[in-house]
Amino acid sequence: MRYRTLGKDLRVSAVGLGCMGMSHAYGAPADKKEMTELLAKAVDLGCTFFDTAESYGTKERHHDNEELLGQALKPYRGQIKIATKFGIQFDWSSSEVNLPVKVDSRPETIRKSVEGSLKRLQTDHIDLYYQHRPDPSVPVEEVAGVMADLIREGKITHWGLSEVTEDIIWRAHAVCPVTAIQNRYSMMARWYEPLFPVLEELGIGYVAFSPMANGLLSGKYHENTVFGGREDYRTVMPQFTPEGLKQNQALLELIRNTAEAKDATMSQIALAWMLCKKPYLVPIPGTRKPERLEENLGAAEVTLSAEEVAALDRALDQLPMSQVYGGCRILEK
């Protein structure tokens, strides 16, 4: 495994593990014993960066994912970095498949959230604490002030922002230096690339979630794929509709051809493309399968030249592709 530094000094594996899908949005929660074994395998393979959130769970167990990681990663706590998030709650009363969310980053809510996360993660500090989504009713400067206090108190060591734009990054960083942003990024979701110069100027890392467009770029899905029922967000994602799959065939063929040329898998190319683009980019693909975990982490060893990355970018600029899932609807207050 190779390693990267987010911000000033947060050293993590070049590929992390997004853990949401073990508990939320990809069907019923996975078997706890199997996921505990998977998390241990990730550590054995050199993964040191694990991503969760207080909101990843089920209607019955709202914090299921943090509870899982707290127990499973406790034996390795000194070897790894855990990132979690505050600031949103799912509307469990909704009948929508893709549950809408309520945002709340009031200082008193953050204080309650961090104590809950510390307890569930069975740790005395959080390595990277993200604001999960901006809260229009709370200035980001106020949020950053709370983060500075939490750092001074030793409850967190670094903080970040998720799904944010340039203005918010500048304003937050001026109050308390931001270590990383966590925004959506993949070959199908490149709309945050204009942030690269800002991140470079401020020395901020980019943690890429959904780096394989919710799995589509692995090339393992087709029109007869059966998803995990009503609790599986993929059933309503545009890239997995019959029309979407047809629109994305040229994109998948590009990735497939590149993978064959590099003696890699499609998933590894989708990840290596961003790893080789910027040294501060760290993708956090998720999986429930040991073989996929090994494949994803292996992307850190796949090298694409600057010319190859640029050629892929030019091709992506021209290729037809469907809309890609853009996230949960945020409820107005």
Side-chain angles (χ1 to χ4, degrees):
M1 176 56 68
R2 301 179 189 277
Y3 297 87
R4 299 192 161 190
T5 300
L6 297 173
K8 183 180 179 181
D9 60 4
L10 184 61
R11 188 170 183 266
V12 298
S13 51
V15 179
L17 179 58
C19 301
M20 179 189 75
M22 299 176 185
S23 304
H24 181 82
Y26 286 78
D31 179 81
K32 292 292 190 295
K33 181 175 183 295
E34 291 179 3
M35 293 305 95
T36 298
E37 293 171 353
L38 185 77
L39 289 161
K41 182 177 178 67
V43 176
D44 288 343
L45 292 171
C47 180
T48 65
F49 191 36
F50 297 84
D51 184 86
T52 183
E54 68 170 346
S55 57
Y56 296 160
T58 67
K59 189 172 184 178
E60 294 73 28
R61 299 182 68 88
H62 292 186
H63 312 296
D64 186 77
N65 203 239
E66 281 190 337
E67 292 167 355
L68 167 66
L69 266 63
Q71 188 63 36
L73 294 176
K74 189 175 182 179
Y76 315 103
R77 187 64 184 96
Q79 305 168 231
I80 63 169
K81 306 299 182 184
I82 297 178
T84 192
K85 312 176 196 74
F86 66 89
I88 71 167
Q89 296 296 332
F90 289 102
D91 178 8
W92 294 105
S93 67
S94 172
S95 60
E96 298 176 38
V97 174
N98 176 7
L99 294 170
V101 298
K102 308 168 187 176
V103 295
D104 183 357
S105 286
R106 292 172 297 170
E108 59 269 30
T109 301
I110 297 173
R111 285 281 177 181
K112 183 178 179 181
S113 291
V114 73
E115 295 300 338
S117 290
L118 287 168
K119 183 177 181 179
R120 288 185 293 271
L121 291 168
Q122 301 188 41
T123 185
D124 62 356
H125 72 281
I126 294 163
D127 299 294
L128 182 54
Y129 200 40
Y130 295 106
Q131 183 186 27
H132 209 150
R133 292 292 183 273
D135 184 343
S137 65
V138 180
V140 74
E141 291 85 352
E142 188 171 355
V143 174
V146 178
M147 295 300 106
D149 290 341
L150 293 178
I151 290 171
R152 281 191 290 270
E153 294 165 20
K155 293 179 179 179
I156 69 173
T157 58
H158 306 80
W159 86 287
L161 300 155
S162 184
E163 288 287 83
V164 285
T165 54
E166 179 176 348
D167 175 62
I168 291 177
I169 295 170
W170 278 105
R171 289 164 52 199
H173 192 78
V175 176
C176 182
V178 175
T179 291
I181 64 166
Q182 183 183 126
N183 282 16
R184 186 179 303 275
Y185 188 52
S186 72
M187 286 179 163
M188 293 186 75
R190 299 171 60 200
W191 47 80
Y192 288 118
E193 287 185 352
L195 291 178
F196 288 166
V198 178
L199 301 179
E200 289 160 14
E201 181 174 350
L202 298 179
I204 296 172
Y206 191 143
V207 177
F209 76 85
S210 294
M212 290 190 289
N214 306 101
L216 178 80
L217 304 183
S218 68
K220 302 183 187 302
Y221 296 87
H222 50 78
E223 60 184 12
N224 296 318
T225 298
V226 177
F227 295 116
R230 196 184 178 288
E231 296 170 298
D232 196 325
Y233 286 16
R234 290 172 295 185
T235 60
V236 294
M237 290 182 184
Q239 65 265 40
F240 293 114
T241 64
E243 180 184 18
L245 289 168
K246 289 178 182 177
Q247 291 174 314
N248 295 322
Q249 284 309 302
L251 168 62
L252 296 176
E253 191 65 21
L254 170 69
I255 301 171
R256 187 175 294 110
N257 290 339
T258 306
E260 290 175 358
K262 302 297 289 188
D263 192 26
T265 68
M266 292 176 66
S267 296
Q268 288 173 338
I269 293 301
L271 297 171
W273 164 77
M274 64 178 70
L275 286 168
C276 296
K277 180 173 286 197
K278 298 291 182 181
Y280 52 83
L281 266 166
V282 176
I284 50 168
T287 187
R288 298 181 175 192
K289 299 178 179 178
E291 62 272 20
R292 294 287 83 79
L293 172 70
E294 193 163 354
E295 177 184 351
N296 293 343
L297 296 179
E301 304 302 324
V302 177
T303 301
L304 298 173
S305 68
E307 293 76 17
E308 288 171 324
V309 171
L312 285 170
D313 282 352
R314 288 193 297 271
L316 293 171
D317 288 338
Q318 302 299 321
L319 282 176
M321 59 183 77
S322 75
Q323 293 294 310
V324 66
Y325 175 66
C328 299
R329 179 170 64 90
I330 296 176
L331 298 170
E332 293 185 7
K333 293 189 177 181

